[in-house]
Amino acid sequence: MLQSTTLPTLTLQPNALPKGLDRDRLPHHVAVIMDGNGRWARRQGLPRMAGHRQGAKTLKHLLRCCKDWGISALTCYAFSSENWARPAEEVTFLMVLFEQLLRREIDEMNREGVRLSFAGNRAPLPRSLQKQIRQAETLTARNQSIRFTIAINYGSRSELIRACRRLVEQSCDGLIAPRDIDEEAIARQLYTAGIPDPDLLIRTSGEMRLSNFLLWQMAYTELYFSDALWPEFDRDAFTRALLEYQKRDRRYGQLSATATVPC
């Protein structure tokens, strides 16, 4: 999955960083909202489905960059809980595409040391896709090169409701006391339990909103919005996002280390 044959700009030596990037200041976890597949296809005079296929190739290239450059986690927003409202033909196509990609790419991802995980409510997904997801997670569970999380049928508000219900049930069963419910307790009930929060969120196509994605997890995430449509988001565009990230002063609500307190 991780080898590129279509974008010459990706033919780097393993672990080689583009000029200007500081390996010590790279984000550990990058999250992406992959927006613009349909618009890209329309501009090319192609059906929307062609945009989704090209978008999948872009995601493969991004995963390769993250792995080679030492970014330890990548999370992508593949299908939101609101996306069921799209035309039935497109939804069906996406479900089939997800399953085909998993079946086709899983062995190579496993050889590359990619650990797959999935965030979202799996119950409404086709049973064959649910099976592929379980097999992928089991096969790659011990891999450590990069944590690759795919958010499918995911919505952050429903994730938080699910976490609250689980904590209430545990409290009613006497397993925890209400006073024990803190940020860590909530985080343990999220789909992303055990995965560090994103350092950088990238959203493409010029849209500037979070769209119900990782709302709890992104409390202190740096946000980067690109005008490029997702199928156009290549290595150079990713490099620009990382360069911008490295300019940020991440204070987490505190003063900068170089700041002085006014009298």
Side-chain angles (χ1 to χ4, degrees), residues 1-5 7 9-17 56-71 74 108-109 111-114 145-146 148 235 238:
M1 170 182 177
L2 296 172
Q3 292 180 349
S4 169
T5 58
L7 292 182
T9 53
L10 286 168
T11 55
L12 298 174
Q13 294 299 318
N15 300 317
L17 278 179
K57 294 178 182 179
T58 299
L59 181 59
K60 291 166 60 175
H61 299 323
L62 184 66
L63 179 59
R64 162 58 74 189
C65 288
C66 287
K67 179 180 179 294
D68 281 353
W69 299 350
I71 295 170
L74 173 66
E108 186 169 355
M109 282 196 289
R111 289 194 299 270
E112 292 272 359
V114 177
S145 292
I146 185 170
F148 181 32
R235 169 184 171 269
F238 187 38

Side-chain angles (χ1 to χ4, degrees), residues 11-249:
T11 55
L12 298 174
Q13 294 299 318
N15 300 317
L17 278 179
K19 183 178 180 181
L21 285 180
D22 180 353
R23 188 178 299 277
D24 294 332
R25 300 186 63 216
L26 288 174
H28 298 290
H29 183 180
V30 173
V32 291
I33 299 177
M34 307 176 293
D35 201 4
N37 289 341
R39 276 168 282 175
W40 177 87
R42 186 167 61 249
R43 291 180 184 179
Q44 308 299 317
L46 300 171
R48 286 180 60 85
M49 284 60 167
H52 293 309
R53 288 193 181 278
Q54 187 63 34
K57 294 178 182 179
T58 299
L59 181 59
K60 291 166 60 175
H61 299 323
L62 184 66
L63 179 59
R64 162 58 74 189
C65 288
C66 287
K67 179 180 179 294
D68 281 353
W69 299 350
I71 295 170
S72 57
L74 173 66
T75 298
C76 70
Y77 205 5
F79 189 86
S80 77
S81 52
E82 291 81 14
N83 286 155
W84 294 105
R86 292 187 175 187
E89 180 184 10
E90 182 174 354
V91 171
T92 299
F93 173 84
L94 287 171
M95 294 298 134
V96 172
L97 179 62
F98 295 150
E99 188 173 340
Q100 288 177 341
L101 289 172
L102 271 179
R103 186 181 297 112
R104 188 178 69 205
E105 309 290 357
I106 185 59
D107 288 338
E108 186 169 355
M109 282 196 289
N110 186 44
R111 289 194 299 270
E112 292 272 359
V114 177
R115 179 179 177 183
L116 267 87
S117 57
F118 295 81
N121 179 11
R122 304 178 189 184
L125 301 178
R127 297 181 68 176
S128 56
L129 177 55
Q130 293 183 45
K131 180 179 179 181
Q132 287 293 325
I133 286 173
R134 290 193 299 270
Q135 291 177 344
E137 288 184 326
T138 300
L139 179 64
T140 65
R142 296 181 180 273
N143 293 344
Q144 298 181 0
S145 292
I146 185 170
R147 185 73 174 264
F148 181 32
T149 303
I150 300 173
I152 181 169
N153 193 30
Y154 174 88
S156 190
R157 288 182 174 180
S158 61
E159 176 186 37
L160 291 170
I161 292 170
R162 171 180 174 270
C164 291
R165 286 175 176 167
R166 288 188 167 191
L167 291 170
V168 170
E169 290 170 356
Q170 292 176 15
S171 179
C172 291
D173 292 341
L175 300 176
I176 60 172
R179 64 177 176 273
D180 296 327
I181 299 176
D182 55 14
E183 289 188 12
E184 291 184 2
I186 294 173
R188 286 194 295 269
Q189 301 302 323
L190 301 179
Y191 292 119
T192 55
I195 303 174
D197 292 342
D199 301 295
L200 172 65
L201 168 75
I202 298 170
R203 180 166 187 158
T204 56
S205 84
E207 304 292 346
M208 298 185 182
R209 56 182 178 272
L210 298 181
S211 295
N212 199 20
F213 184 48
L214 301 178
L215 300 180
W216 175 278
Q217 296 88 335
M218 292 200 296
Y220 284 100
T221 299
E222 296 295 325
L223 309 181
Y224 178 87
F225 301 103
S226 170
D227 289 331
L229 302 176
W230 176 248
E232 302 168 342
F233 194 80
D234 58 12
R235 169 184 171 269
D236 291 335
F238 187 38
T239 300
R240 288 193 292 273
L242 295 177
L243 287 170
E244 173 61 28
Y245 170 82
Q246 293 189 342
K247 298 176 184 177
R248 307 279 179 91
D249 183 9

